Amino acid sequence: MVIARNSDIPLLLQSISGRIIYAFLMLLLAFLSTTSVQAHANDAHMNLRQTQLFNKNWQYLQHHTTDVNVALAQKNWQSVELPHSWNTTDSIDPLPGYRRSASWYRTSLTPATKQRRILHFEGANMRSSVYVNGHLAGEHVGGYLGFDIELTPWLLQENVNEILVRVDNSYNPNLIPSQKADFVLFGGITRDVWLKTLPDTFLQQLEVSTSQVQTGKPGTEFSITINSTNLERRTLILKSKILAPDNSEVALNQQSIEFESQLQTFQIKMPNIFNPELWSVDSPKLYRLQAAIYDKEGNLLDQIDERFGYRWFEMRPHQGFFLNGKKLLIRGTHRHEEIAGKGSAMSNEQHRADMQQIKAMGANFVRLAHYPQDPEIYHAADELGLILWDELPWVRGGKGGKEWEYNTERYLKQQIKQNYNHPSIAFWSLGNEMDWEEDFPGGGSPEIVTPYLRKLNALVKMLDKSRLTTLRKYPPGADIVDAYSPSIWMGWYGGAYGQYGDALAATMKQYPHFIHMEYGGSSHVGRHTESPIGQNGFNEMQVSAQDAMNQAGTTSIANASDWNESYIVDLFDWHLKLSESTPGFAGNAQWAFRDFATPLRPENPIPYVNQKGLLTRDGKPKDAYYVFASYWSDTPFCYIMSKTWTKRQGSKNGRPVRVYCNTNTAELFLNGQSLGVKKRDVTIFPAAGLVWEVPFIKGANELKVIGKIDNKVVEDNLKVEYEPTPHGKLKRVELTYSNLEDGSLLIAAEALDEDGLRVLNFNERAFFSNLTDSGFFSTHQGTPT
């Protein structure tokens, strides 16, 4: 039976209904699918599967006991709905650290039939133990991966069965990622849980492999595992077929198989398909492979299906990245799995919205940083046409001993097996900054790390020959993997952004299979400057590309600037101009798509938040987002920089204003009067030449831009309060408030000089406290407000 995922339900229904209607639709689809399939199985009602979302009616207990009876005896259980994390706010509150411990979840199940029942967890961080009626049903070690726990042996039919789950995210040096990683290891059942009702004999782990796609007549093979409580040797019939993107049948296969054990895997070769429709970023064509198992009398026992795609990837020395034999410039970003108000416990709608917004920006690539992510991310990438870099969470910490090795290799195998069928995955990354901040004495030395990296690379090649291996920021491993990214942060951690062209040239020469992961810098929404740091950085500073990384004790823009949006817009504008026009360059990915929580950055303007995102932590685009869209997006737009820069100062003659558009031309108006039409030219910096000297008048001004492309017209507007007199020194900070729709108050603090002019360059810290018991600060969301 095929159960529709969230990604299969029309987006309109998602936006209108939310999770309540979604759960109802899932149950309805399960019923309809079961009914349809059973009609072809001689009404063998007990022999087919059902899958239903199991997120509701859970309770949560914040208690670290390992004793299930002690947990049950507690009185302070709270009702929750999954996904859930206990680190939603404490990870970004003013206090150092966040809760790294264990908690309990519980629910109940009343089975009406004797079918097998399995709970599938899409992710629980980091170690999980599942109990049924007080019995330990199973355990899983390692966050960010899905796992199954069979409940059947401990269930009492037609009785209320109590299910408890203990989840533990406490520090364990033998688990990756290291606690020294620059992100939060959210504790909890952070992804969806599904209840599977299965027949005694069922199919699992369908892995589809394609080969020789470039010949036009690719081979298609799959492996499939049969799981059965019937241990008798018997003959079964396996029928399989491939459905094209238009749902037509293009390949069939039927064969008898001898089933001899409780768990047995079979390798099946399908007939060749000539000239299949290829999966690509512009046309993400998806095929489906359906497999069904029958007994020798012809009764259907179970069936499953998986989506896959025909495509191939290459990194050609000094030429870049190729998809299906054609050069493709990587235009990418990075994603951490979290959002304000939810932490990592995001809904499928939120996951998909991220990928849609990335695609809308014009990107074709997402690095999943620094761990496997929610299944909805992979489904969305498959459907939208986004290439994925899927990363083993070996992030800092160095290499450990035998237990660490066992956990890491098991993790890598599970990660590849879990995500194997997704055509969007082009790269298996073996790690990031692995030798930094070692957790074990000597564990970061090249003599220890490099041989183990070779072992992991060989393991990936044994498990998956169709994809590329890769790595970031470990130079001794550059020749081991198929693609490599050193660390180049020109204009942030070292150097000036004007040196990026020289850095690219030098690095492309040094590394034949170079692809650039991570560049950019931090920006704090609402901070602007009349004169941002220029392309030569501080005092014409010059450093090599290899010096452009985190440098303790070195003056850099990261540690000596106020993180204003004006500067970061220039940095990205410069980087994009070069990356879009450098021959032989594979491409790059900006770090990161959205601001995210980190325990390592208490002194940031938003404490404990990495502010390098193109979006704020609650998903609002910063100015920099529109710079990328102006280069990459196909949807016409114009954006006057900047919506948070509504008070400006300058001379009596006015000041320059820039506009970011992806249209051919743009015309800017001030108070209804045209300031002229300009033609966009991507070779001109900044803003592709869309910069006007605007003769503002004192007081209120209205800006309007009209962009035109292919007979399409778009516009943008901005109101600006202009002061032709430069402000003086800070005299006072004035507080005002306004009422918000939710009944709370927004308090604004404005720095003013003695004449009441806003002091635009004021960037010192200010501290606030609430002196009454009548209210509280709406904090701990990691957002600019």
Side-chain angles (χ1 to χ4, degrees), residues 727-754:
H727 63 74
K729 293 182 180 181
L730 176 72
K731 182 67 175 179
R732 68 186 189 278
V733 175
E734 185 174 281
L735 300 183
T736 57
Y737 74 89
S738 57
N739 294 292
L740 300 181
E741 291 182 358
D742 63 1
S744 58
L745 303 177
L746 175 63
I747 300 173
E750 186 174 18
L752 302 173
D753 69 5
E754 61 181 1

PDB file of all heavy atoms in Angstrom, residues 727-754:
ATOM      1  N   HIS A 727      24.317  63.892  12.584  1.00  0.00           N
ATOM      2  CA  HIS A 727      24.039  63.821  14.016  1.00  0.00           C
ATOM      3  C   HIS A 727      25.307  64.100  14.826  1.00  0.00           C
ATOM      4  O   HIS A 727      26.432  63.992  14.333  1.00  0.00           O
ATOM      5  CB  HIS A 727      23.471  62.443  14.384  1.00  0.00           C
ATOM      6  CG  HIS A 727      24.431  61.305  14.140  1.00  0.00           C
ATOM      7  ND1 HIS A 727      25.518  61.058  14.943  1.00  0.00           N
ATOM      8  CD2 HIS A 727      24.438  60.345  13.172  1.00  0.00           C
ATOM      9  CE1 HIS A 727      26.151  59.994  14.499  1.00  0.00           C
ATOM     10  NE2 HIS A 727      25.532  59.554  13.416  1.00  0.00           N
ATOM     11  N   GLY A 728      25.107  64.439  16.096  1.00  0.00           N
ATOM     12  CA  GLY A 728      26.224  64.655  17.012  1.00  0.00           C
ATOM     13  C   GLY A 728      26.471  63.441  17.883  1.00  0.00           C
ATOM     14  O   GLY A 728      26.080  62.310  17.536  1.00  0.00           O
ATOM     15  N   LYS A 729      27.059  63.672  19.046  1.00  0.00           N
ATOM     16  CA  LYS A 729      27.369  62.580  19.952  1.00  0.00           C
ATOM     17  C   LYS A 729      26.118  62.149  20.725  1.00  0.00           C
ATOM     18  O   LYS A 729      25.164  62.909  20.883  1.00  0.00           O
ATOM     19  CB  LYS A 729      28.455  63.012  20.938  1.00  0.00           C
ATOM     20  CG  LYS A 729      29.810  63.260  20.287  1.00  0.00           C
ATOM     21  CD  LYS A 729      30.852  63.646  21.327  1.00  0.00           C
ATOM     22  CE  LYS A 729      32.213  63.884  20.672  1.00  0.00           C
ATOM     23  NZ  LYS A 729      33.241  64.246  21.695  1.00  0.00           N
ATOM     24  N   LEU A 730      26.168  60.914  21.221  1.00  0.00           N
ATOM     25  CA  LEU A 730      25.052  60.379  21.978  1.00  0.00           C
ATOM     26  C   LEU A 730      24.783  61.230  23.220  1.00  0.00           C
ATOM     27  O   LEU A 730      25.694  61.558  23.983  1.00  0.00           O
ATOM     28  CB  LEU A 730      25.350  58.936  22.414  1.00  0.00           C
ATOM     29  CG  LEU A 730      24.291  58.297  23.309  1.00  0.00           C
ATOM     30  CD1 LEU A 730      23.037  57.993  22.508  1.00  0.00           C
ATOM     31  CD2 LEU A 730      24.834  57.053  23.977  1.00  0.00           C
ATOM     32  N   LYS A 731      23.526  61.592  23.404  1.00  0.00           N
ATOM     33  CA  LYS A 731      23.111  62.339  24.586  1.00  0.00           C
ATOM     34  C   LYS A 731      22.226  61.494  25.501  1.00  0.00           C
ATOM     35  O   LYS A 731      22.350  61.515  26.717  1.00  0.00           O
ATOM     36  CB  LYS A 731      22.364  63.612  24.166  1.00  0.00           C
ATOM     37  CG  LYS A 731      21.916  64.500  25.332  1.00  0.00           C
ATOM     38  CD  LYS A 731      23.106  65.108  26.050  1.00  0.00           C
ATOM     39  CE  LYS A 731      22.651  66.076  27.116  1.00  0.00           C
ATOM     40  NZ  LYS A 731      23.798  66.667  27.842  1.00  0.00           N
ATOM     41  N   ARG A 732      21.299  60.745  24.885  1.00  0.00           N
ATOM     42  CA  ARG A 732      20.378  59.960  25.683  1.00  0.00           C
ATOM     43  C   ARG A 732      19.817  58.796  24.863  1.00  0.00           C
ATOM     44  O   ARG A 732      19.886  58.794  23.630  1.00  0.00           O
ATOM     45  CB  ARG A 732      19.233  60.820  26.199  1.00  0.00           C
ATOM     46  CG  ARG A 732      18.273  61.310  25.113  1.00  0.00           C
ATOM     47  CD  ARG A 732      17.241  62.274  25.679  1.00  0.00           C
ATOM     48  NE  ARG A 732      16.202  62.597  24.727  1.00  0.00           N
ATOM     49  CZ  ARG A 732      16.324  63.529  23.771  1.00  0.00           C
ATOM     50  NH1 ARG A 732      17.477  64.192  23.638  1.00  0.00           N
ATOM     51  NH2 ARG A 732      15.318  63.774  22.956  1.00  0.00           N
ATOM     52  N   VAL A 733      19.281  57.810  25.567  1.00  0.00           N
ATOM     53  CA  VAL A 733      18.529  56.719  24.952  1.00  0.00           C
ATOM     54  C   VAL A 733      17.077  56.871  25.363  1.00  0.00           C
ATOM     55  O   VAL A 733      16.759  56.905  26.552  1.00  0.00           O
ATOM     56  CB  VAL A 733      19.069  55.340  25.376  1.00  0.00           C
ATOM     57  CG1 VAL A 733      18.196  54.229  24.813  1.00  0.00           C
ATOM     58  CG2 VAL A 733      20.508  55.175  24.914  1.00  0.00           C
ATOM     59  N   GLU A 734      16.201  56.996  24.385  1.00  0.00           N
ATOM     60  CA  GLU A 734      14.789  57.265  24.644  1.00  0.00           C
ATOM     61  C   GLU A 734      13.965  56.008  24.379  1.00  0.00           C
ATOM     62  O   GLU A 734      14.096  55.371  23.326  1.00  0.00           O
ATOM     63  CB  GLU A 734      14.308  58.403  23.755  1.00  0.00           C
ATOM     64  CG  GLU A 734      12.885  58.855  24.028  1.00  0.00           C
ATOM     65  CD  GLU A 734      12.544  60.088  23.210  1.00  0.00           C
ATOM     66  OE1 GLU A 734      12.955  61.209  23.594  1.00  0.00           O
ATOM     67  OE2 GLU A 734      11.885  59.924  22.164  1.00  0.00           O
ATOM     68  N   LEU A 735      13.104  55.644  25.337  1.00  0.00           N
ATOM     69  CA  LEU A 735      12.244  54.476  25.202  1.00  0.00           C
ATOM     70  C   LEU A 735      10.837  54.900  24.811  1.00  0.00           C
ATOM     71  O   LEU A 735      10.281  55.834  25.389  1.00  0.00           O
ATOM     72  CB  LEU A 735      12.179  53.691  26.509  1.00  0.00           C
ATOM     73  CG  LEU A 735      13.492  53.123  27.060  1.00  0.00           C
ATOM     74  CD1 LEU A 735      13.228  52.317  28.324  1.00  0.00           C
ATOM     75  CD2 LEU A 735      14.183  52.267  26.024  1.00  0.00           C
ATOM     76  N   THR A 736      10.272  54.206  23.841  1.00  0.00           N
ATOM     77  CA  THR A 736       8.863  54.388  23.466  1.00  0.00           C
ATOM     78  C   THR A 736       8.238  53.000  23.339  1.00  0.00           C
ATOM     79  O   THR A 736       8.950  52.000  23.234  1.00  0.00           O
ATOM     80  CB  THR A 736       8.714  55.139  22.131  1.00  0.00           C
ATOM     81  OG1 THR A 736       9.418  54.422  21.111  1.00  0.00           O
ATOM     82  CG2 THR A 736       9.269  56.554  22.234  1.00  0.00           C
ATOM     83  N   TYR A 737       6.908  52.955  23.347  1.00  0.00           N
ATOM     84  CA  TYR A 737       6.267  51.652  23.201  1.00  0.00           C
ATOM     85  C   TYR A 737       5.077  51.765  22.268  1.00  0.00           C
ATOM     86  O   TYR A 737       4.511  52.834  22.056  1.00  0.00           O
ATOM     87  CB  TYR A 737       5.830  51.088  24.554  1.00  0.00           C
ATOM     88  CG  TYR A 737       4.616  51.748  25.159  1.00  0.00           C
ATOM     89  CD1 TYR A 737       3.335  51.274  24.873  1.00  0.00           C
ATOM     90  CD2 TYR A 737       4.752  52.839  26.027  1.00  0.00           C
ATOM     91  CE1 TYR A 737       2.215  51.880  25.420  1.00  0.00           C
ATOM     92  CE2 TYR A 737       3.636  53.447  26.581  1.00  0.00           C
ATOM     93  CZ  TYR A 737       2.364  52.957  26.271  1.00  0.00           C
ATOM     94  OH  TYR A 737       1.256  53.546  26.810  1.00  0.00           O
ATOM     95  N   SER A 738       4.705  50.613  21.696  1.00  0.00           N
ATOM     96  CA  SER A 738       3.511  50.515  20.865  1.00  0.00           C
ATOM     97  C   SER A 738       2.823  49.199  21.174  1.00  0.00           C
ATOM     98  O   SER A 738       3.450  48.238  21.631  1.00  0.00           O
ATOM     99  CB  SER A 738       3.869  50.594  19.375  1.00  0.00           C
ATOM    100  OG  SER A 738       4.801  49.587  19.035  1.00  0.00           O
ATOM    101  N   ASN A 739       1.508  49.171  20.926  1.00  0.00           N
ATOM    102  CA  ASN A 739       0.721  47.966  21.198  1.00  0.00           C
ATOM    103  C   ASN A 739       0.773  47.014  20.018  1.00  0.00           C
ATOM    104  O   ASN A 739       0.605  47.425  18.862  1.00  0.00           O
ATOM    105  CB  ASN A 739      -0.734  48.347  21.478  1.00  0.00           C
ATOM    106  CG  ASN A 739      -0.878  49.150  22.762  1.00  0.00           C
ATOM    107  OD1 ASN A 739      -0.670  48.632  23.842  1.00  0.00           O
ATOM    108  ND2 ASN A 739      -1.223  50.425  22.633  1.00  0.00           N
ATOM    109  N   LEU A 740       0.994  45.735  20.299  1.00  0.00           N
ATOM    110  CA  LEU A 740       0.995  44.704  19.272  1.00  0.00           C
ATOM    111  C   LEU A 740      -0.338  43.973  19.259  1.00  0.00           C
ATOM    112  O   LEU A 740      -1.100  44.020  20.232  1.00  0.00           O
ATOM    113  CB  LEU A 740       2.143  43.717  19.512  1.00  0.00           C
ATOM    114  CG  LEU A 740       3.554  44.318  19.493  1.00  0.00           C
ATOM    115  CD1 LEU A 740       4.586  43.231  19.715  1.00  0.00           C
ATOM    116  CD2 LEU A 740       3.825  45.051  18.187  1.00  0.00           C
ATOM    117  N   GLU A 741      -0.604  43.275  18.162  1.00  0.00           N
ATOM    118  CA  GLU A 741      -1.897  42.633  17.990  1.00  0.00           C
ATOM    119  C   GLU A 741      -2.153  41.558  19.043  1.00  0.00           C
ATOM    120  O   GLU A 741      -3.298  41.276  19.387  1.00  0.00           O
ATOM    121  CB  GLU A 741      -1.991  42.019  16.588  1.00  0.00           C
ATOM    122  CG  GLU A 741      -2.068  43.066  15.474  1.00  0.00           C
ATOM    123  CD  GLU A 741      -2.208  42.419  14.106  1.00  0.00           C
ATOM    124  OE1 GLU A 741      -2.203  41.165  14.054  1.00  0.00           O
ATOM    125  OE2 GLU A 741      -2.313  43.153  13.110  1.00  0.00           O
ATOM    126  N   ASP A 742      -1.093  40.934  19.547  1.00  0.00           N
ATOM    127  CA  ASP A 742      -1.281  39.857  20.519  1.00  0.00           C
ATOM    128  C   ASP A 742      -1.462  40.371  21.944  1.00  0.00           C
ATOM    129  O   ASP A 742      -1.509  39.600  22.898  1.00  0.00           O
ATOM    130  CB  ASP A 742      -0.111  38.872  20.467  1.00  0.00           C
ATOM    131  CG  ASP A 742       1.220  39.521  20.844  1.00  0.00           C
ATOM    132  OD1 ASP A 742       1.235  40.724  21.170  1.00  0.00           O
ATOM    133  OD2 ASP A 742       2.252  38.817  20.789  1.00  0.00           O
ATOM    134  N   GLY A 743      -1.531  41.697  22.099  1.00  0.00           N
ATOM    135  CA  GLY A 743      -1.754  42.275  23.413  1.00  0.00           C
ATOM    136  C   GLY A 743      -0.490  42.642  24.159  1.00  0.00           C
ATOM    137  O   GLY A 743      -0.548  43.272  25.220  1.00  0.00           O
ATOM    138  N   SER A 744       0.642  42.298  23.635  1.00  0.00           N
ATOM    139  CA  SER A 744       1.902  42.658  24.287  1.00  0.00           C
ATOM    140  C   SER A 744       2.360  44.032  23.798  1.00  0.00           C
ATOM    141  O   SER A 744       1.765  44.632  22.905  1.00  0.00           O
ATOM    142  CB  SER A 744       2.973  41.607  24.007  1.00  0.00           C
ATOM    143  OG  SER A 744       3.177  41.472  22.621  1.00  0.00           O
ATOM    144  N   LEU A 745       3.425  44.524  24.400  1.00  0.00           N
ATOM    145  CA  LEU A 745       3.967  45.831  24.064  1.00  0.00           C
ATOM    146  C   LEU A 745       5.329  45.680  23.404  1.00  0.00           C
ATOM    147  O   LEU A 745       6.145  44.863  23.828  1.00  0.00           O
ATOM    148  CB  LEU A 745       4.128  46.688  25.327  1.00  0.00           C
ATOM    149  CG  LEU A 745       2.881  46.926  26.178  1.00  0.00           C
ATOM    150  CD1 LEU A 745       3.252  47.737  27.409  1.00  0.00           C
ATOM    151  CD2 LEU A 745       1.814  47.644  25.374  1.00  0.00           C
ATOM    152  N   LEU A 746       5.570  46.458  22.374  1.00  0.00           N
ATOM    153  CA  LEU A 746       6.886  46.513  21.754  1.00  0.00           C
ATOM    154  C   LEU A 746       7.580  47.771  22.255  1.00  0.00           C
ATOM    155  O   LEU A 746       7.101  48.892  22.049  1.00  0.00           O
ATOM    156  CB  LEU A 746       6.776  46.559  20.234  1.00  0.00           C
ATOM    157  CG  LEU A 746       8.102  46.734  19.483  1.00  0.00           C
ATOM    158  CD1 LEU A 746       9.029  45.549  19.727  1.00  0.00           C
ATOM    159  CD2 LEU A 746       7.866  46.919  17.991  1.00  0.00           C
ATOM    160  N   ILE A 747       8.681  47.594  22.949  1.00  0.00           N
ATOM    161  CA  ILE A 747       9.443  48.719  23.479  1.00  0.00           C
ATOM    162  C   ILE A 747      10.621  48.982  22.554  1.00  0.00           C
ATOM    163  O   ILE A 747      11.403  48.077  22.253  1.00  0.00           O
ATOM    164  CB  ILE A 747       9.950  48.419  24.907  1.00  0.00           C
ATOM    165  CG1 ILE A 747       8.768  48.144  25.835  1.00  0.00           C
ATOM    166  CG2 ILE A 747      10.789  49.570  25.438  1.00  0.00           C
ATOM    167  CD1 ILE A 747       9.159  47.683  27.216  1.00  0.00           C
ATOM    168  N   ALA A 748      10.729  50.229  22.080  1.00  0.00           N
ATOM    169  CA  ALA A 748      11.813  50.607  21.181  1.00  0.00           C
ATOM    170  C   ALA A 748      12.763  51.544  21.913  1.00  0.00           C
ATOM    171  O   ALA A 748      12.337  52.449  22.644  1.00  0.00           O
ATOM    172  CB  ALA A 748      11.261  51.288  19.934  1.00  0.00           C
ATOM    173  N   ALA A 749      14.060  51.312  21.710  1.00  0.00           N
ATOM    174  CA  ALA A 749      15.089  52.170  22.307  1.00  0.00           C
ATOM    175  C   ALA A 749      15.792  52.923  21.187  1.00  0.00           C
ATOM    176  O   ALA A 749      16.281  52.314  20.242  1.00  0.00           O
ATOM    177  CB  ALA A 749      16.088  51.327  23.091  1.00  0.00           C
ATOM    178  N   GLU A 750      15.815  54.243  21.269  1.00  0.00           N
ATOM    179  CA  GLU A 750      16.412  55.063  20.213  1.00  0.00           C
ATOM    180  C   GLU A 750      17.527  55.924  20.804  1.00  0.00           C
ATOM    181  O   GLU A 750      17.339  56.620  21.797  1.00  0.00           O
ATOM    182  CB  GLU A 750      15.343  55.951  19.578  1.00  0.00           C
ATOM    183  CG  GLU A 750      15.853  56.725  18.369  1.00  0.00           C
ATOM    184  CD  GLU A 750      14.744  57.498  17.666  1.00  0.00           C
ATOM    185  OE1 GLU A 750      13.677  57.708  18.306  1.00  0.00           O
ATOM    186  OE2 GLU A 750      14.930  57.884  16.506  1.00  0.00           O
ATOM    187  N   ALA A 751      18.708  55.835  20.179  1.00  0.00           N
ATOM    188  CA  ALA A 751      19.857  56.640  20.604  1.00  0.00           C
ATOM    189  C   ALA A 751      19.771  58.012  19.948  1.00  0.00           C
ATOM    190  O   ALA A 751      19.694  58.116  18.720  1.00  0.00           O
ATOM    191  CB  ALA A 751      21.150  55.933  20.212  1.00  0.00           C
ATOM    192  N   LEU A 752      19.808  59.072  20.743  1.00  0.00           N
ATOM    193  CA  LEU A 752      19.611  60.434  20.238  1.00  0.00           C
ATOM    194  C   LEU A 752      20.756  61.345  20.684  1.00  0.00           C
ATOM    195  O   LEU A 752      21.353  61.145  21.755  1.00  0.00           O
ATOM    196  CB  LEU A 752      18.286  60.998  20.751  1.00  0.00           C
ATOM    197  CG  LEU A 752      17.015  60.207  20.396  1.00  0.00           C
ATOM    198  CD1 LEU A 752      15.820  60.786  21.117  1.00  0.00           C
ATOM    199  CD2 LEU A 752      16.802  60.173  18.888  1.00  0.00           C
ATOM    200  N   ASP A 753      21.032  62.374  19.850  1.00  0.00           N
ATOM    201  CA  ASP A 753      21.997  63.395  20.256  1.00  0.00           C
ATOM    202  C   ASP A 753      21.255  64.534  20.965  1.00  0.00           C
ATOM    203  O   ASP A 753      20.040  64.453  21.197  1.00  0.00           O
ATOM    204  CB  ASP A 753      22.820  63.879  19.062  1.00  0.00           C
ATOM    205  CG  ASP A 753      22.002  64.685  18.053  1.00  0.00           C
ATOM    206  OD1 ASP A 753      20.803  64.962  18.319  1.00  0.00           O
ATOM    207  OD2 ASP A 753      22.559  65.052  16.997  1.00  0.00           O
ATOM    208  N   GLU A 754      21.962  65.612  21.276  1.00  0.00           N
ATOM    209  CA  GLU A 754      21.331  66.689  22.049  1.00  0.00           C
ATOM    210  C   GLU A 754      20.255  67.424  21.274  1.00  0.00           C
ATOM    211  O   GLU A 754      19.399  68.106  21.873  1.00  0.00           O
ATOM    212  CB  GLU A 754      22.407  67.663  22.535  1.00  0.00           C
ATOM    213  CG  GLU A 754      23.186  68.351  21.431  1.00  0.00           C
ATOM    214  CD  GLU A 754      24.255  69.274  21.995  1.00  0.00           C
ATOM    215  OE1 GLU A 754      24.377  69.343  23.235  1.00  0.00           O
ATOM    216  OE2 GLU A 754      24.969  69.897  21.186  1.00  0.00           O
TER     217      GLU A 754
END
